[in-house]
C-alpha cells in the first residue's frame, strides 16, 4: 500500500462496515473497526469478522482491532471510512465525531441519499471530507459476520474539488490514499471529480426502487415485473429525474437513466432493497434522505413532487412488525 496516513478506521459495524473492515484486514491493511456498542466491539475482538462469499469456501474469520466509538481517544488523525446509515449520522453523533477526530483526519462518507455531506461539513470544519458512492452488495448476518452479496464499484471524490493537495506535497491526496487502501482490499475503486453527479444518479435509482419495493414487499427483480408496478416506477422516475436535473444531474440522457434503473433491478434481482430490509426489521428507514429530500428539492425550485411526497408519507406510515403483533 502506498499510503494510509496514520491508519484506516471503519466507523460502523453494519453490513457495509464489516465488509470494508474485514476485507481491509484480509489484505493486511492496518484497520480498526469502530462500532456503536462495546458489546459488538468485544465480539469482533474475540471472533474477528467472517465474510461469506457466494461460491467460495466457508468464511474464515479475520482478526482485527475493534473499539466502541465512545472509547476512541480524541485526536484521531487517520482515514475514517464512515459506513453508518444516514439515519445514524445525526447531529449528536456528528458532534461526538468533532470531539474525537483531529483536524488531520480524512473522512469518507459512504451514506445513501443526500444532505449528509453538508450536515457533516457544518459539524466538522477543517477536516477533509470526501463522499463515496458504492454499489457493493452486503448483508449483515450477525454481529461478526457479513455476506458479500455482489461485487460492485465505488467512486470516491472530494466534496469541495478545489481543496486539492498541493502538487509538490509528495503525498497522495486523500482520495488517492483511500482508493489505494480499498483497491488493495480487492474493491474496484475510482477517484471521481464529479462525485455529486454520482450521488444524484444513485439517489435517482434509490428513490425509484427503495420505496416501491418496501411498500409492495417485492424483491428488486420483481418490481418491474407487472405493468402496474412498471408504470408507477416510471411516474416516480420522471418526477424525480426532473427535480434532480434542476439540482445538478446532467451527464446522461433520460433513456439512459431509465435503463440504469431497470439495469439495477436486473443486476440485483434477488436482493431485498435496504429499505425493505429496514421495514421488515422495524428499523427507521432512509426515506427522509431519499424521497423526502427529493420533495424538498422540488419545493425549493417551485416544482411539485406529488409522487415523492406520497411515497415518503406511505413508507413512514408502514407499521413495524411489533405494531402488527408479529
Ligand atoms: O442501493 C440499493 C438499496 O437497496 O439501497 C439498491 C441499488 C436498490 C440495491 O438493492
Amino acid at each position: 500500500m502506498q499510503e494510509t496516513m496514520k491508519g484506516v478506521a471503519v466507523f460502523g459495524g453494519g453490513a457495509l462496515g464489516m465488509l470494508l473492515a474485514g476485507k481491509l484486514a484480509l489484505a493486511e491493511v492496518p484497520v480498526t473497526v469502530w462500532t456503536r456498542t462495546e458489546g459488538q466491539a468485544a465480539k469482533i475482538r474475540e471472533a474477528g469478522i467472517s465474510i461469506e462469499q457466494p461460491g467460495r469456501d466457508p468464511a474464515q474469520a479475520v482478526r482485527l482491532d475493534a473499539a466502541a466509538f465512545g472509547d476512541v481517544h480524541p485526536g484521531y488523525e487517520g482515514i475514517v471510512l464512515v459506513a453508518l446509515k444516514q439515519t445514524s449520522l445525526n447531529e449528536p453523533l456528528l458532534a461526538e465525531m468533532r470531539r474525537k477526530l483531529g483536524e488531520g483526519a480524512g473522512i469518507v462518507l459512504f451514506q445513501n441519499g443526500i444532505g449528509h455531506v453538508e450536515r457533516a461539513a457544518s459539524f466538522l470544519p477543517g477536516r477533509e471530507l470526501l463522499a463515496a458512492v458504492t454499489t457493493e452488495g452486503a448483508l449483515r448476518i450477525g454481529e461478526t459476520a457479513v455476506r458479500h452479496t455482489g461485487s460492485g464499484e465505488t467512486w470516491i471524490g472530494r466534496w469541495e474539488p478545489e481543496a486539492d493537495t498541493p502538487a509538490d506535497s509528495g503525498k497522495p491526496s486523500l482520495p488517492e490514499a483511500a482508493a489505494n487502501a480499498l483497491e488493495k482490499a480487492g474493491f474496484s475503486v475510482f477517484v471521481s471529480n464529479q462525485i455529486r453527479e454520482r450521488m444524484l444518479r444513485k439517489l435517482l435509482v434509490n428513490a425509484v426502487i427503495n420505496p416501491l419495493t418496501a411498500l409492495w414487499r417485492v424483491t428488486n427483480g420483481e418490481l418491474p415485473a407487472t405493468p402496474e408496478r412498471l408504470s408507477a416506477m416510471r411516474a416516480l422516475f420522471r418526477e424525480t429525474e426532473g427535480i434532480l436535473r434542476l439540482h445538478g444531474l446532467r451527464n446522461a440522457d433520460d433513456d439512459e437513466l431509465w435503463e440504469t434503473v431497470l439495469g439495477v433491478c436486473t443486476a440485483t434481482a434477488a436482493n431485498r432493497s435496504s429499505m425493505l430490509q429496514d421495514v421488515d426489521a422495524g428499523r427507521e428507514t432512509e426515506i427522509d434522505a431519499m424521497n423526502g429530500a427529493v420533495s424538498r428539492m422540488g419545493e425549493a425550485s417551485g416544482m411539485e413532487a406529488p409522487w415523492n411526497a406520497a411515497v415518503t408519507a406511505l413508507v413512514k406510515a408502514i407499521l413495524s412488525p411489533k405494531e402488527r403483533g408479529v
Side-chain angles (χ1 to χ4, degrees):
M1 186 178 37
Q2 289 175 19
E3 149 84 14
T4 57
M5 297 167 84
K6 293 174 189 148
V8 178
V10 175
F11 188 7
L16 182 63
M18 283 197 278
L19 180 72
L20 296 174
K23 289 190 60 103
L24 285 163
L26 279 171
E28 295 178 8
V29 175
V31 59
T32 305
V33 61
W34 295 338
T35 57
R36 303 297 301 280
T37 65
E38 169 50 27
Q40 189 186 10
K43 286 185 184 151
I44 294 176
R45 282 195 301 270
E46 200 185 307
I49 289 178
S50 311
I51 302 175
E52 277 185 17
Q53 315 230 43
R56 299 255 183 104
D57 291 342
Q60 294 240 324
V62 57
R63 306 309 284 248
L64 73 165
D65 206 12
F69 187 57
D71 295 336
V72 170
H73 294 296
Y76 180 85
E77 300 265 316
I79 295 176
V80 188
L81 307 179
V82 183
L84 300 166
K85 296 196 78 160
Q86 265 273 359
T87 43
S88 302
L89 203 64
N90 52 27
E91 298 191 349
L93 187 88
L94 287 165
E96 198 179 349
M97 286 173 71
R98 178 166 53 207
R99 289 192 292 277
K100 297 281 164 86
L101 308 181
E103 294 215 343
I107 302 167
V108 189
L109 299 172
F110 276 81
Q111 287 62 41
N112 270 330
I114 201 123
H116 53 287
V117 189
E118 292 87 341
R119 199 159 67 238
S122 73
F123 274 84
L124 300 164
R127 283 76 169 178
E128 223 180 321
L129 274 188
L130 305 186
V133 173
T134 186
T135 57
E136 293 294 335
L139 184 69
R140 186 186 198 267
I141 48 179
E143 282 193 288
T144 63
V146 60
R147 184 173 304 140
H148 195 184
T149 52
S151 293
E153 291 177 334
T154 301
W155 289 269
I156 294 183
R158 278 180 206 289
W159 191 244
E160 302 285 357
E162 64 275 15
D164 221 340
T165 308
D168 60 358
S169 74
K171 271 176 54 178
S173 64
L174 176 61
E176 286 163 359
N180 288 344
L182 289 169
E183 264 171 5
K184 187 163 187 218
F187 294 104
S188 169
V189 191
F190 307 93
V191 172
S192 168
N193 56 12
Q194 294 193 320
I195 199 70
R196 190 176 158 80
E197 169 80 21
R198 289 273 162 205
M199 288 171 80
L200 291 172
R201 279 196 193 207
K202 178 97 194 281
L203 176 59
L204 177 59
V205 169
N206 287 132
V208 175
I209 298 178
N210 292 32
L212 298 181
T213 51
L215 288 167
W216 291 322
R217 296 174 187 253
V218 292
T219 62
N220 295 351
E222 286 163 343
L223 182 60
T226 70
E228 293 80 10
R229 293 201 294 260
L230 192 63
S231 108
M233 283 177 76
R234 252 192 195 285
L236 190 49
F237 169 84
R238 271 199 216 102
E239 179 181 294
T240 306
E241 192 218 3
I243 292 170
L244 296 186
R245 287 223 179 262
L246 297 177
H247 289 263
L249 179 68
R250 47 185 67 87
N251 291 340
D253 68 26
D254 307 0
D255 291 345
E256 187 190 328
L257 290 170
W258 172 242
E259 290 307 320
T260 302
V261 175
L262 294 179
V264 170
C265 289
T266 310
T268 62
N271 278 25
R272 296 165 78 72
S273 74
S274 55
M275 198 169 284
L276 177 55
Q277 291 181 42
D278 287 342
V279 161
D280 279 345
R283 285 189 297 259
E284 192 183 351
T285 70
E286 295 181 312
I287 194 79
D288 259 330
M290 294 179 176
N291 304 81
V294 175
S295 296
R296 291 190 294 276
M297 288 161 115
E299 223 168 86
S301 317
M303 267 182 82
E304 303 254 309
W307 275 89
N308 279 281
V311 294
T312 303
L314 290 171
V315 168
K316 283 187 174 182
I318 295 175
L319 292 179
S320 68
K322 209 166 139 205
E323 287 165 318
R324 282 188 280 128
V326 179

